[in-house]
Amino acid sequence: MPRLDEATTRRLAAVFDRIIPADDFPPVSEGGVFAHLDTLASEPTTRALVDGVLETVDRLDRRARDVHATPVDALDAGRLDGLLAELDWAEREQLVQRAAEAYYGGADQPGARMVGYRAGPNREPDAPVIEPALTTTRFDALADEYDVVVVGAGAGGGVVAQVASEAGERVLLVERGDVFAVDDLGRDHLRNHRSKVFGTNTSSVTGAGPRELVLDGRTVVIDKTHDPRWHDTARTVGGGTRVHQGMAWRFVPDDFHLASRHGVPDDSSLADWPLTYDDLEPHYTWAEHAIGVCGDGHAHPSDGPRSAELPMPPLPRNTEAEVLAAGAKTLGLSTGPVPQAINSVPRDGRARCVQCGECVGFACISGAKNGTFNTVIPRALASGNADLVAGGRAREITVGAAGRVDGVCLVDEDSGRERHVRAGHVVVAAGAIETARLLLASRSGAHPSGLGNDHDQVGRHLQGHVFVSAFGRFDDLIVDIAGPGSTIATGDLRHRNPEVIGGGVLSNESLKLPIVHWRWARHPDAPRWGRAAKDEMRRNYRRTGHVIGVVQEIPRSQNRVTLASRTDTHGVPVVRLEGHGHPETLRTAAALRDVATRWMEASGAADVWAENPATGLTAGTHQAGTCRMGTDPATSVADPAGRVHGHDNLWVADASLHVTNGGVSPSLTVFALAHRVAQHLVGDR
């Protein structure tokens, strides 16, 4: 932002201080708004926002001079409020949002202190805080050939790397993002994977290119990776497990045969899985112990049978959970703790959760949050049989003269240098969208439509999760400022309502950053600006309860990933997304939302409201389904072992395999299914 003259500074301060005025806490002009505008002005993608602010304030000043014959900064509060009220909604809203971002957008900001938020530990770690040591291999030091090349170091790829390397296979694990220490990922409340207001805190892959999205028959180009319509995932070693909340639910037996139980709705591609819960159960047990899950495996009557107990007890229940437990009892709902991939007690030489206020979207300050980055990937590297390359992009899976997969063409993100690595087996675990993109882009004379795509199945059945939410305002404080926050759930809505297909789990939401509460959890009728808006935040941040859940989506073959004609900086066609939610998904969402609302009311909330579920693509969270497994190559991409049909050495090991995606976070199923895939791979070897 160019240096502001004194008059402009006065005008800005006067206007912003009517949006968030002074009381016991300072006004926003003293609470970070100028520093925030400077940051926005320094970034090319947000500079226009500052220009818009300056233009609006300049118009207000001209209006003040025309109507009141005085500059805007000389008006009394009533007249300035009147001019602000005259602005159209969009003009005023840009000022309101910039003010709120500055005032509530960080742990040290006045607004965060005002509402009672704190970010630090709330209990001792009870063990040394240890960061995982991940040794990477330089791009130019990679071997020319590996037994197994795994593309993607997230939930699925990390598991495969451990299993294969410990079985004696020489493994290359390729990750497009970087390795981050805790401090590298930072604590920016406006740029993280919980609150993507202006970006994220994992790797910015500048060569990713835009994505195209088909909306109502027209193509929209999405050029910002943090735009929700881009359907982004975390780009770092560990993938989403580096910054996830950590919910670690198993799917239940009925999740694997929805079509047999309910039939196939019109305009859907609902199908049974080619395996059962019993087939996956030992792999769930392995994942719970290898990754580390806390909870109570017998707390929820809807859960399937298990062969072993969870390795850790649940996290402590918070005040909101106690209030909701009483409400659930009134409704006859059973409740129990939320299983989490978090150390509730010290384990494997690492600390327990310190219940800080910055959990979802950030790296864990105690190292207690478990993912592939601090469990299976370090074990793979410790085997001596695995190399990890970060900042490496798999541009193409290559085939030999006979059309058999023989390796991967890699690109170094920093230098742009390319090299070909030969592979005995290739495992793709890059996330449902990028896994499909890589297979589709790997075209050759033998496979002109891409690998595994002889029947036009790669990229179809794209799904994620529709979220349902109910909020309630209570007279008493119910929000403890202790993470992760989600400590009570009911599984009674999983397959127990014959009127809907699948259902899902409802739980209390994780602790919100103040800016997340401001953007998401305020009452729809709450004032947006002025003293009343500030008072509302101060009073209700810790008095607002939130029940949330995800819905078992009904897949559609038309919801899909294809390739556009434009290419990214590496010459790879960019992703084209299209599709929308199925009516049955929205019907299920309405049913769960109704229960969530009644749960809030039964728990004593003085005022309850609910959020309308999304109707478009939902693949930005828990994306799945684009390479579904099955026995028929005409309707699936991979066989029940995860091997791509028609290829004896090409595998998929992420949520792309999912036929359906459950009514819970699918991360534990990704871990378990990847373990099953890896065992088949090494068994074949």
Side-chain angles (χ1 to χ4, degrees), residues 206-521:
T206 55
R211 284 182 176 172
E212 295 185 0
L213 178 64
V214 179
L215 288 173
D216 300 324
R218 60 189 179 90
T219 299
V220 178
V221 177
I222 313 298
D223 57 3
K224 296 181 179 67
T225 60
H226 64 276
D227 186 317
R229 298 171 298 173
W230 207 85
H231 298 285
D232 191 21
T233 55
R235 297 176 298 275
T236 179
V237 173
T241 72
R242 191 72 172 98
V243 293
H244 67 167
Q245 177 176 343
M247 284 192 179
W249 296 95
R250 294 183 176 200
F251 287 4
V252 295
D254 281 342
D255 285 332
F256 296 90
H257 53 84
L258 286 172
S260 293
R261 176 170 175 169
H262 296 279
V264 180
D266 292 343
D267 191 37
S268 84
S269 56
L270 188 65
D272 292 342
W273 286 58
L275 50 82
T276 67
Y277 174 86
D278 290 341
D279 293 327
L280 204 54
E281 197 284 330
H283 304 283
Y284 276 133
T285 296
W286 177 90
E288 288 165 346
H289 287 259
I291 303 298
V293 175
C294 72
D296 179 351
H298 302 285
H300 299 281
S302 59
D303 288 351
R306 56 173 51 248
S307 58
E309 302 299 321
L310 289 171
M312 291 177 285
L315 290 163
R317 203 149 82 164
N318 55 23
T319 301
E320 184 181 32
E322 298 292 351
V323 171
L324 289 172
K329 187 175 181 180
T330 300
L331 294 177
L333 295 173
S334 68
T335 59
V338 177
Q340 310 246 29
I342 297 174
N343 285 355
S344 60
V345 295
R347 184 171 187 267
D348 288 345
R350 291 186 292 109
R352 69 175 182 173
C353 172
V354 295
Q355 297 188 273
C356 75
E358 293 170 332
C359 184
V360 189
F362 301 98
C364 179
I365 63 172
S366 69
K369 187 160 57 176
N370 299 321
T372 53
F373 65 96
N374 61 356
T375 57
V376 294
I377 293 176
R379 292 169 200 154
L381 298 176
S383 74
N385 293 323
D387 289 339
L388 168 65
V389 61
R393 193 259 180 101
R395 186 176 62 79
E396 180 185 7
I397 300 170
T398 60
V399 298
R404 185 175 188 268
V405 168
D406 65 3
V408 179
C409 179
L410 301 178
V411 182
D412 180 50
E413 287 280 359
D414 288 336
S415 67
R417 179 185 171 193
E418 294 191 16
R419 64 174 299 178
H420 181 259
V421 175
R422 297 191 300 276
H425 287 256
V426 174
V427 181
V428 190
I433 292 175
E434 290 295 329
T435 286
R437 180 189 188 185
L438 180 58
L439 293 178
L440 291 170
S442 298
R443 297 167 175 161
S444 64
H447 306 288
S449 300
L451 295 172
N453 199 37
D454 293 349
H455 298 279
D456 190 29
Q457 290 300 299
V458 173
R460 291 191 180 274
H461 321 292
L462 175 64
Q463 57 197 284
H465 272 135
V466 168
F467 282 77
V468 297
S469 284
F471 303 88
R473 287 196 302 212
F474 291 79
D475 293 332
D476 298 324
L477 300 179
I478 65 164
V479 175
D480 298 336
I481 307 300
S486 184
T487 61
I488 188 173
T490 179
D492 287 2
L493 306 175
R494 301 175 85 178
H495 307 284
R496 296 191 174 194
N497 184 343
E499 298 179 0
V500 300
I501 300 175
V505 164
L506 293 174
S507 68
N508 65 328
E509 234 286 85
S510 54
L511 176 67
K512 293 179 184 64
L513 308 175
I515 189 63
V516 172
H517 175 93
W518 187 88
R519 292 170 65 88
W520 186 19

Side-chain angles (χ1 to χ4, degrees), residues 37-82:
L37 293 177
D38 279 339
T39 299
L40 295 180
S42 69
E43 299 173 358
T45 58
T46 54
R47 190 174 298 139
L49 297 177
V50 180
D51 293 338
V53 166
L54 294 174
E55 290 168 6
T56 298
V57 171
D58 187 53
R59 281 197 297 275
L60 280 171
D61 186 60
R62 292 197 302 271
R63 180 68 172 159
R65 293 173 189 273
D66 290 343
V67 175
H68 301 294
T70 187
V72 71
D73 53 288
L75 290 176
D76 60 46
R79 289 180 175 180
L80 180 48
D81 287 350

Side-chain angles (χ1 to χ4, degrees), residues 93-176:
E93 187 64 14
Q94 66 170 324
L95 301 177
V96 169
Q97 290 197 32
R98 302 297 84 78
E101 290 154 5
Y103 208 67
Y104 302 113
D108 297 326
Q109 296 305 98
R113 296 195 302 272
M114 180 188 77
V115 301
Y117 176 83
R118 61 182 181 276
N122 283 281
R123 64 177 184 172
E124 295 300 317
D126 282 1
V129 175
I130 301 171
E131 287 213 26
L134 297 174
T135 302
T136 58
T137 301
R138 298 191 324 274
F139 193 76
D140 58 4
L142 297 177
D144 293 328
E145 183 172 1
Y146 291 84
D147 298 322
V148 182
V149 173
V150 182
V151 178
V159 168
V160 173
Q162 178 189 336
V163 174
S165 62
E166 291 185 340
E169 305 292 340
R170 187 78 178 114
V171 176
L172 173 62
L173 182 59
V174 180
E175 171 56 45
R176 190 171 186 180

Side-chain angles (χ1 to χ4, degrees), residues 551-569:
V551 173
Q552 174 84 256
E553 290 200 4
I554 304 303
R556 302 174 67 246
S557 65
Q558 303 96 316
N559 292 9
R560 65 185 304 194
V561 176
T562 55
L563 299 182
S565 57
R566 73 183 75 216
T567 60
D568 64 17
T569 57

